[in-house]
Amino acid sequence: MMNRTSIFSIRFGALACLLILLLTITTGCWNRMELSEISVVLAMGIDKVEDQYQVSVQFVDPSQMSRNRTANRSPAVTISERASTVFEAVRKLTTKTSRRLYFSHLRLLVFDEKTAKEGIKNAMDLMFRDHEVRPDFYIAVAKKNTARDILAIVTPTEVLPAMDIDKSLIVSEKTWAPTAAINVITLLQTLMQDGKEPVLTGVSIIGNLEKSKTMQNVQNPLAYGEYKYEGLGVFKEEKLLGWLNESDSKAYTYIVNKVTSTVGVSKCPNSGGFIAIEVTEANTKIITNVENNKPSITLKMLIEGTINEVQCTINMQDPNEYEQMEQTARETFQTMIEKGIKTVQRKFGVDIFGFGEAFHRNHPKQWNIWKEQWDDVFKQLPVQIDLDYKLNKVGKIINPIDKEPDKER
């Protein structure tokens, strides 16, 4: 029989062999990169110039991100190159920077209108295929400007312009209904769905374009130029057809249930002036109906709001006047939704609301009949609105400040 010392020796030897074996297969990060060797890309722009893609990237200058950075250098750098493919243009950018471009932290991708109208699938193929690019960035279309112009603007709020533009898109979607923050996953899912076409938010530059690209743009209280998100671009599959105005863009976000909070404006009943309403709750359900093999849609909508501004003389303590105000606001809202639907049906003729996707989900047999000619069906699709609209609060005061002040005391 083996003694305890022999048993311990055997176990120790086996453990040592196991550790040596583990060391041979533990090699660390095979693709490790030092921060001093890379440039972190935050935004990318793609423009179509003649028959080539002009690719622009905005990356961080690490030396300018410290507290002791010099004021005469920008913390972000934008460079551009042209090629027949996006990947080739990206590789050509290495001739203009000493560091390898690193795309894992990409926050924003911007197309110009020409690229969007010709089709964005080819331009985006690299972004879907490259393992280094994480699919969580947002996408916008440069409206009236080039994507390079959007990336070159110097913004006053954030040190890095790309972060300013990215954050603004997210905040605007939550507080201003005409804006929709569409990320790459949402776009891809919509492109692969039956019965729904994509939209992308437009972004443009207002003011002096050339001065907005200089440090002078942030050295005065009033900037020479500023970016602005305005309108939604309507696509048919991968190609841009045109733009929705502010009202129709707002109708879209209500219908697809993307409104968190926004502002609605209604005329005062029986007088001049306007009432501003903060929408605090918005919920929409798309109900599909099939009767005699003909489709129709009912939008069941719940809207609740708070009165935030009154520009007319009205006694909100009077139930009749309050009801008139609420009714006027309800009619204004319903008219906006109806107009938005009609604009999309008549002007563009493509289903961006996902009505077809709802029929696909709820009535698969009928959908197989309508699928091939859904655009034609959508143009004539009856849409009814079942609206529950409530104004629940009036703020810290009840009546306008000049309405019977003696009685308010």
Side-chain angles (χ1 to χ4, degrees):
M1 296 179 65
M2 292 186 293
N3 56 31
R4 291 183 178 180
T5 303
S6 300
I7 294 173
F8 177 78
S9 298
I10 293 172
R11 289 180 176 177
F12 180 79
L15 179 61
C17 291
L18 179 60
L19 290 174
I20 293 172
L21 180 61
L22 289 174
L23 287 174
T24 62
I25 62 175
T26 306
T27 58
C29 296
W30 65 272
N31 62 344
R32 175 178 60 85
M33 291 180 290
E34 298 291 342
L35 286 175
S36 59
E37 299 174 351
I38 62 175
S39 293
V40 178
V41 176
L42 296 178
M44 180 175 178
I46 300 178
D47 296 299
K48 200 66 181 292
V49 180
E50 297 177 351
D51 60 344
Q52 291 186 315
Y53 290 113
Q54 177 175 266
V55 176
S56 305
V57 296
Q58 183 184 118
F59 57 86
V60 182
D61 181 354
S63 67
Q64 296 303 301
M65 293 305 295
S66 66
R67 292 183 178 180
N68 298 323
R69 68 185 180 92
T70 58
N72 59 348
R73 285 186 59 179
S74 171
V77 180
T78 300
I79 57 177
S80 303
E81 264 297 346
R82 296 184 192 178
S84 56
T85 66
V86 174
F87 185 53
E88 185 182 7
V90 169
R91 285 298 176 91
K92 286 177 71 174
L93 288 170
T94 60
T95 63
K96 295 183 176 182
T97 177
S98 60
R99 301 186 182 194
R100 182 179 180 275
L101 297 175
Y102 186 66
F103 287 87
S104 288
H105 294 284
L106 183 70
R107 299 305 308 144
L108 182 69
L109 174 63
V110 183
F111 293 104
D112 71 330
E113 285 192 74
K114 184 177 180 182
T115 303
K117 288 179 179 178
E118 291 183 3
I120 62 175
K121 280 186 179 178
N122 290 339
M124 288 197 65
D125 188 81
L126 172 66
M127 315 308 291
F128 292 124
R129 196 177 299 275
D130 193 335
H131 70 278
E132 188 177 278
V133 181
R134 293 190 295 195
D136 59 355
F137 56 89
Y138 291 96
I139 306 174
V141 178
K143 190 176 179 182
K144 305 173 186 176
N145 300 105
T146 65
R148 183 183 182 185
D149 289 337
I150 302 297
L151 267 57
I153 189 173
V154 179
T155 56
T157 308
E158 298 288 341
V159 174
L160 300 172
M163 295 304 296
D164 198 311
I165 300 172
D166 172 67
K167 288 181 179 180
S168 175
L169 179 60
I170 298 170
V171 172
S172 182
E173 182 192 47
K174 293 179 179 179
T175 59
W176 183 238
T179 305
I182 308 297
N183 64 26
V184 63
I185 291 296
T186 302
L187 177 64
L188 180 60
Q189 290 173 342
T190 305
L191 288 172
M192 296 177 65
Q193 277 181 337
D194 287 332
K196 188 175 183 180
E197 300 291 348
V199 301
L200 290 176
T201 295
V203 57
S204 60
I205 296 176
I206 301 171
N208 190 310
L209 177 61
E210 295 307 317
K211 286 188 177 181
S212 71
K213 301 176 184 179
T214 67
M215 293 301 292
Q216 292 178 322
N217 202 45
V218 295
Q219 293 174 346
N220 299 296
L222 183 62
Y224 290 107
E226 54 192 5
Y227 68 87
K228 179 183 179 182
Y229 287 106
E230 53 178 350
L232 296 177
V234 177
F235 283 71
K236 179 175 175 58
E237 296 180 353
E238 58 165 331
K239 297 182 179 181
L240 176 67
L241 299 181
W243 297 94
L244 297 177
N245 62 24
E246 185 177 286
S247 175
D248 296 335
S249 297
K250 186 180 290 189
Y252 165 82
T253 54
Y254 273 110
I255 293 170
V256 299
N257 226 10
K258 282 280 189 177
V259 175
T260 303
S261 176
T262 189
V263 178
V265 176
S266 172
K267 289 184 178 180
C268 295
N270 306 319
S271 64
F274 295 91
I275 298 171
I277 300 162
E278 179 185 10
V279 175
T280 56
E281 182 176 349
N283 184 270
T284 300
K285 293 183 180 179
I286 298 175
I287 300 174
T288 56
N289 310 297
V290 178
E291 188 174 350
N292 297 325
N293 292 323
K294 292 184 179 180
S296 65
I297 289 287
T298 299
L299 296 178
K300 190 174 182 60
M301 307 184 77
L302 170 64
I303 307 296
E304 295 186 3
T306 299
I307 299 170
N308 273 38
E309 184 177 344
V310 179
Q311 297 182 348
C312 55
T313 301
I314 185 171
N315 183 6
M316 286 189 285
Q317 291 177 305
D318 185 334
N320 292 330
E321 291 193 37
Y322 191 90
E323 173 59 31
Q324 288 180 0
M325 179 184 61
E326 191 175 59
Q327 180 63 26
T328 301
R330 183 184 297 111
E331 292 172 355
T332 301
F333 178 85
Q334 182 157 338
T335 299
M336 178 195 67
I337 299 296
E338 291 172 347
K339 179 180 176 295
I341 296 171
K342 292 298 181 184
T343 297
V344 175
Q345 288 180 317
R346 295 171 182 175
K347 184 177 180 180
F348 300 106
V350 294
D351 183 1
I352 62 175
F353 306 113
F355 295 156
E357 195 277 331
F359 279 109
H360 185 195
R361 183 174 60 251
N362 299 330
H363 306 277
K365 291 183 178 179
Q366 287 87 345
W367 171 251
N368 288 331
I369 299 173
W370 303 324
K371 178 180 178 180
E372 297 302 323
Q373 63 269 8
W374 180 247
D375 286 349
D376 294 328
V377 175
F378 171 74
K379 293 175 185 177
Q380 307 297 327
L381 183 68
V383 181
Q384 294 184 339
I385 300 172
D386 181 2
L387 177 60
D388 183 5
Y389 191 101
K390 301 175 182 178
L391 298 179
N392 295 326
K393 298 180 181 179
V394 297
K396 292 191 295 184
I397 61 174
I398 299 177
N399 288 331
I401 57 176
D402 62 343
K403 173 68 175 175
E404 298 180 308
D406 292 337
K407 294 183 180 180
E408 294 284 334
R409 293 174 184 172

